[in-house]
Amino acid sequence: MDKISAGYDQLTRFWLDTVPARGVVARLDESLATALKHHDYPPAVVSLLRQLAGAAALLASNLKQSAQVILQAQGTGDVPLLCVEATDALTFRMYASVSEGAVLPDTAGITELVAPDGKGRFVLTISPTQGQMYQGIVALPSVAETPDGHDLRAGSIAALLEDYLSNSQQTQTRMWLREDGDVMEAMLLERLPDHAHDEATPAWNALTAQADAIFDEHFMPFPYSEWLQFAFADHDVKVHPSQPISFACSCSIERVLNALKLVGEDELTPLIAENGKIETRCEFCGKGYDVSAIQFSELFHGVEASYPPGPRTIQ
């Protein structure tokens, strides 16, 4: 069985009439390797980016229009920024800012790396191609507020997101993110409205307990149409066709010019005077861009540039 048939770099949506609930499950493999090959991040940062990529793919699968899901963790720690962007087409890209010379424990979690002092935030942005942007922000707990200062369930990316989604949507939501070697396995369950809320609660609790047990074991590498039937054997599981997940970068010279305009003419003019051009690279994929003196001159005497939400880096 090849990797695609076995569910690698695939995402599958499903629902269960017996609870009622709906969900989405994904396995990211070579797409992560492609996204990370442009960087040399420490293991702890790689782990967090994998988790964010899995979460972003799950959330992007629920987009109803052309849009991006952007997940960012921002703080004052040795890793002041983690960012993953995913699209409704299930493409994603990732970036992290790591302080020069920082020595990071391999097992450090998001709180310890991004906001050990509690002065950090986790930002979820939905940015449609057309229409109004939506943004939700939650505070990152300090090291003192998480068990042993590590990224256990109480302060994990999965827990942060499921708490936020449950509160903002007023719908019970659970998320699981687990690394299996270089592979990220991810699942989201959302409880659907029902007319017998109290009576349905034990069924929902039993369903999430099944999911907890499944994520304590290695995923079996066979199609999700089969795996879901095995994972939720006591339920009638309806499965949508699987969709591919891939790395793709949306950088372009237009985005670079937009970013340069935010930096400002006065600050950039000395670079043009010294080198005759400005050399930049995309922080996500490493692609290089050269902005000539002519392009630079046209930039600051043309129409107002815009810049989509995301990390404030030249990309």
Side-chain angles (χ1 to χ4, degrees), residues 57-225:
L58 297 179
L59 297 176
S61 70
N62 285 327
L63 293 172
K64 306 303 183 192
Q65 58 180 314
S66 177
Q68 282 185 320
V69 170
I70 304 167
L71 299 180
Q72 295 184 54
Q74 306 166 352
T76 57
D78 288 330
V79 185
L81 175 66
L82 294 163
C83 178
V84 171
E85 301 176 1
T87 71
D88 60 293
L90 298 185
T91 64
F92 71 92
R93 61 180 192 163
M94 56 179 61
Y95 167 70
S97 175
V98 182
S99 299
E100 186 175 355
V103 179
L104 309 179
D106 289 352
T107 58
I110 188 170
T111 292
E112 187 176 354
L113 296 185
V114 178
D117 56 1
K119 297 179 180 179
R121 60 181 193 168
F122 191 86
V123 184
L124 186 158
T125 302
I126 306 296
S127 178
T129 303
Q130 296 182 338
Q132 186 174 0
M133 180 182 72
Y134 168 82
Q135 192 169 75
I137 301 174
V138 296
L140 287 174
S142 67
V143 168
E145 297 173 306
T146 55
D148 299 325
H150 293 295
D151 192 21
L152 301 180
R153 183 78 189 174
S156 68
I157 290 170
L160 285 168
L161 278 169
E162 67 182 32
D163 287 347
Y164 171 77
L165 293 170
S166 294
N167 291 328
S168 64
Q169 299 177 3
Q170 298 296 303
T171 302
Q172 287 181 281
T173 304
R174 287 291 310 276
M175 180 180 287
W176 293 263
L177 301 170
R178 188 190 67 187
E179 292 176 273
D180 185 0
D182 294 333
V183 178
M184 170 53 58
E185 298 164 338
M187 185 165 70
L188 181 74
L189 281 177
E190 181 182 4
R191 182 174 176 175
L192 296 175
D194 56 78
H195 299 294
H197 184 85
D198 293 337
E199 290 80 358
T201 295
W204 167 257
N205 292 339
L207 179 69
T208 57
Q210 280 183 284
D212 285 332
I214 285 295
F215 267 78
D216 283 338
E217 305 291 338
H218 290 290
F219 271 28
M220 293 187 178
F222 48 71
Y224 281 131
S225 58

Side-chain angles (χ1 to χ4, degrees), residues 255-276:
R255 290 175 67 96
V256 169
L257 293 173
N258 287 343
L260 291 176
K261 191 150 191 178
L262 287 177
V263 175
E265 184 176 12
D266 292 342
E267 186 170 343
L268 295 171
T269 295
L271 293 176
I272 287 289
E274 180 179 355
N275 302 317

Side-chain angles (χ1 to χ4, degrees), residues 275-312:
N275 302 317
K277 63 180 179 180
I278 295 175
E279 297 178 341
T280 72
R281 71 177 183 90
C282 175
E283 296 284 10
F284 289 91
C285 71
K287 182 177 180 178
Y289 291 91
D290 290 347
V291 177
S292 68
I294 293 176
Q295 288 174 302
F296 181 80
S297 179
E298 291 176 346
L299 175 64
F300 288 99
H301 300 282
V303 297
E304 186 71 19
S306 61
Y307 189 69
R312 289 297 187 259

